Amino acid sequence: MATQGQVITCRAAVAWEANKPLVIEEVQVAPPQAGEVRVKILFTALCHTDAYTWSGKDPEGLFPCILGHEAAGIVESVGEGVTEVQPGDHVIPCYQAECRECKFCKSGKTNLCGKVRAATGVGVMMNDRKSRFSINGKPIYHFMGTSTFSQYTVVHDVSVAKIDPKAPLEKVCLLGCGVPTGLGAVWNTAKVEAGSIVAIFGLGTVGLAVAEGAKAASASRIIGIDIDSNKFDRAKDFGVTEFVNPKDHDKPIQQVLVDLTDGGVDYSFECIGNVSVMRAALECCHKGWGTSVIVGVAASGQEISTRPFQLVTGRVWKGTAFGGFKSRSQVPMLVDKYMKKEIKVDEYITHNLTLPEMNKAFDLLHEGSCLRCVLDMQV
Ligand SMILES: NC(=O)C1=CN([C@@H]2O[C@H](COP(=O)(O)OP(=O)(O)OC[C@H]3O[C@@H](n4cnc5c(N)ncnc54)[C@H](O)[C@@H]3O)[C@@H](O)[C@H]2O)C=CC1
Ligand SMILES: N[C@@H](CCC(=O)N[C@@H](CSC=O)C(=O)NCC(=O)O)C(=O)O
Ligand SMILES: [Zn+2]
Ligand SMILES: [Zn+2]
């Protein structure tokens, strides 16, 4: 039966309140308005940022909402004026939009886009500042402009990347967030050169993708730092060459790393979201040129600090969102790289579950063995 122009009733995992188990509900998904795209989500993974917002620590977190931002699906219908995708196209929703027209997009200096960010930050669509999700008339907020924990979602047309229809959606859903973030932090944000010494704090999916990117950039030493030594074995497969567990040392971890590397590392990446570790990641960098990239997302109210002397003496502190990749232009390129076996994706998937098992998937996120759990959304 044709669904275009109709309200679709489907299942979604609804976060009614912070920290309360998500509830699988029947939700009504309104048709896309001008400049919008309704997508049938086939597979979604969970990212730690979903857990962060669910925890109530995200200043932009609004409830009730439908979380989820690392997914793949098929366009069901498009609103007026949408030209770049059509029903049947295979797509990856992009929480970081790319309109190609705004001041940010035109600058060439950033992958951030200003076109819809004000609306996505408050859980609504640009057109009418309303949600397309409801339950018996009660609006449910969108999240990150993607809300992929629903069998159908509505996104802005600037927030969807059309990909190779031959790509397996149950795998390439990961290219919606964590893997590109780590790779791009190395390639786009830090621009690591061959021969560099790299330190990675946190060996989850994002940290391992940093390792993969650093290996591809021919870094000479890739030092993985994690408080869970069980992470070390797996990290070798992603390019980590040495391991340090801060718990094994009495000295501050930045001093341990400075001693290990004749004065400090060329590049460091914080992939945890811990502001004390962010400081250590900056301070383990080599005087004169070492660059530290903040990737992890820290909770509301948290602030970073260091002695300004650290920067006066040439260290550089940076951050990255989605690894600096321009989403609509570059996600299809990452899918192609995966299809040519130039980047890993399957290796980050440690668990597969289904939509009704959403809460189990959130529990898994906190287990050391889990990198990414992919949910089959149509079960
Ligand atoms: N900037 C961006 O665009 C993005 C940021 N993120 C953020 O990146 C961070 C990492 O994400 P995932 O890799 O999925 O997380 P994860 O939780 O899988 O990995 C974090 C790792 O850090 C380790 N760890 C925790 N405390 C530590 C400490 N004090 N010292 C050393 N290691 C420690 C844990 O054992 C774990 O292995 C999260 O904060 C997430 O929200 C995720 C995607 C995009
Ligand atoms: N709402 C949060 C912001 C969290 C954050 O920094 N998000 C990252 C992506 S994390 C993906 O898993 C990001 O790209 N930020 C840029 C943006 O435009 O949101 C808070 O306020 O803490
Ligand atoms: Zn994410
Ligand atoms: Zn833009």
Side-chain angles (χ1 to χ4, degrees):
M1 198 178 75
T3 48
Q4 282 147 4
Q6 312 291 311
V7 171
I8 292 178
T9 297
C10 66
R11 280 174 300 135
V14 176
W16 286 101
E17 283 179 67
N19 261 321
K20 294 276 160 61
L22 275 59
V23 183
I24 308 301
E25 304 273 10
E26 298 258 296
V27 298
Q28 284 76 52
V29 186
Q33 297 187 6
E36 298 174 2
V37 180
R38 190 160 59 183
V39 180
K40 180 178 187 177
I41 297 292
L42 296 186
F43 296 94
T44 189
L46 279 72
C47 169
H48 280 84
T49 306
D50 298 309
Y52 158 72
T53 301
W54 175 68
S55 75
K57 292 179 185 155
D58 178 355
E60 290 187 308
L62 294 165
F63 298 90
C65 72
I66 297 175
L67 297 164
H69 63 283
E70 197 173 282
I74 299 178
V75 174
E76 175 271 338
S77 62
V78 299
E80 196 189 316
V82 175
T83 53
E84 294 200 23
V85 292
Q86 56 184 13
D89 283 348
H90 289 208
V91 293
I92 291 182
C94 302
Y95 74 81
Q96 192 55 249
E98 182 191 355
C99 75
R100 302 182 180 130
E101 288 164 359
C102 76
K103 186 175 175 182
F104 291 89
C105 286
K106 280 185 173 161
S107 75
K109 293 180 178 175
T110 178
N111 66 328
L112 301 181
C113 169
K115 177 128 186 226
V116 297
R117 185 64 181 81
T120 59
V122 292
V124 296
M125 300 301 288
M126 275 297 281
N127 248 355
D128 57 358
R129 293 275 169 163
K130 289 193 174 141
S131 173
R132 302 288 168 265
F133 296 111
S134 59
I135 297 181
N136 300 325
K138 179 180 170 58
I140 309 292
Y141 287 114
H142 294 244
F143 170 68
M144 287 175 83
T146 50
S147 290
T148 61
F149 292 171
S150 176
Q151 292 179 314
Y152 285 84
T153 189
V154 176
V155 300
H156 298 98
D157 59 353
V158 292
S159 306
V160 69
K162 179 176 166 177
I163 60 163
D164 178 352
K166 296 190 292 306
L169 298 179
E170 71 276 19
K171 309 285 189 206
V172 296
C173 56
L174 264 61
L175 296 176
C177 183
V179 173
T181 298
L183 295 175
V186 177
W187 297 342
N188 304 321
T189 310
K191 299 189 169 64
V192 168
E193 310 92 359
S196 303
I197 303 178
V198 170
I200 306 166
F201 291 80
L203 298 174
T205 296
V206 175
L208 295 179
V210 167
E212 188 185 351
K215 183 178 179 187
S218 303
S220 62
R221 295 174 68 184
I222 305 174
I223 307 170
I225 300 109
D226 204 296
I227 49 170
D228 178 357
S229 297
N230 292 323
K231 303 275 175 171
F232 293 169
D233 246 1
R234 179 167 58 194
K236 287 182 200 157
D237 300 335
F238 292 83
V240 173
T241 58
E242 296 158 60
F243 306 100
V244 181
N245 187 334
K247 290 181 174 171
D248 295 339
H249 298 268
D250 295 328
K251 281 190 282 187
I253 186 66
Q254 49 269 57
Q255 191 58 51
V256 173
L257 289 160
V258 166
D259 292 347
L260 258 179
T261 55
D262 187 25
V265 305
D266 299 307
Y267 296 97
S268 73
F269 298 85
E270 199 280 354
C271 306
I272 303 163
N274 177 321
V275 292
S276 310
V277 179
M278 290 174 189
R279 178 176 194 153
L282 176 79
E283 295 179 357
C284 77
C285 285
H286 203 288
K287 183 176 177 178
W289 63 77
T291 296
S292 186
V293 180
I294 293 176
V295 191
V297 172
S300 174
Q302 299 283 300
E303 294 185 351
I304 49 171
S305 61
T306 191
R307 278 194 71 209
F309 186 63
Q310 293 284 332
L311 306 183
V312 167
T313 49
R315 294 169 196 83
V316 176
W317 223 346
K318 291 183 149 188
T320 193
F322 197 53
F325 282 117
K326 285 190 173 275
S327 60
R328 280 202 296 156
S329 304
Q330 293 187 287
V331 166
M333 174 274 286
L334 289 169
V335 170
D336 294 344
K337 271 182 161 311
Y338 165 71
M339 296 298 277
K340 288 190 265 176
K341 301 193 190 318
E342 290 173 9
I343 59 170
K344 297 184 198 295
V345 172
D346 303 18
E347 292 81 352
Y348 295 92
I349 301 172
T350 52
H351 297 79
N352 289 275
L353 292 174
T354 59
L355 170 60
E357 298 171 296
M358 180 64 79
N359 287 302
K360 190 173 165 191
F362 267 91
D363 290 343
L364 276 172
L365 266 190
H366 304 296
E367 281 183 19
S369 65
C370 180
L371 289 176
R372 283 300 194 252
C373 176
V374 173
L375 302 186
D376 184 336
M377 290 297 288
Q378 297 300 321
V379 174

